[in-house]
Amino acid sequence: MQGKNLPGGLRRRIRAGKLTREDVARRLAELAFGQANDCVKLVMEDAVGTETLDLSLLTELKRNDKGTVELRLVDRLRALEMLAELAGENGEDLESFLEALQGGGEGE
């Protein structure tokens, strides 16, 4: 997780050790449904500044001396499983949980 891509309020809650279930669920949803465009851009473009890229889905990047690139991303299925478990612990139907997650305001 890249700290610079986090909303300020979430960053403060992490530092204070006061993460909420909604914070965790929102982050899992971002990992499960996020786009890897910036990760691909990192390996495809020569002069790209990493400070502007969202690399939160990237877990590993390897380049060998022959030019081969191996890019590993977050396991989306595992993120979905964890999100479903979190929804189940809350005693809610998964669909209504995800709707609430999408409609919930950031408040930051």
Side-chain angles (χ1 to χ4, degrees), residues 85-105:
E85 286 175 23
L86 190 60
E89 289 174 11
N90 216 12
E92 297 178 12
D93 177 60
L94 182 58
E95 186 174 327
S96 63
F97 180 78
L98 291 175
E99 285 176 14
L101 188 61
Q102 281 183 325

Side-chain angles (χ1 to χ4, degrees), residues 77-91:
L77 183 56
R78 181 67 184 131
L80 284 170
E81 289 171 348
M82 293 172 72
L83 188 57
E85 286 175 23
L86 190 60
E89 289 174 11
N90 216 12

Side-chain angles (χ1 to χ4, degrees), residues 22-72:
E22 289 78 20
D23 292 331
V24 174
R26 186 172 313 281
R27 187 65 185 144
L28 284 171
E30 288 171 359
L31 293 173
F33 300 111
Q35 293 186 354
N37 297 0
D38 283 348
C39 298
V40 173
K41 189 183 291 187
L42 177 67
V43 297
M44 298 300 289
E45 294 182 10
D46 290 330
V48 63
T50 57
E51 62 278 347
T52 61
L53 299 178
D54 177 7
L55 302 175
S56 57
L57 297 179
L58 183 65
T59 61
E60 186 177 350
L61 176 64
K62 291 182 185 179
R63 291 182 193 251
N64 70 18
D65 55 347
K66 296 178 183 174
T68 303
V69 177
E70 182 179 334
L71 187 69
R72 290 186 188 231

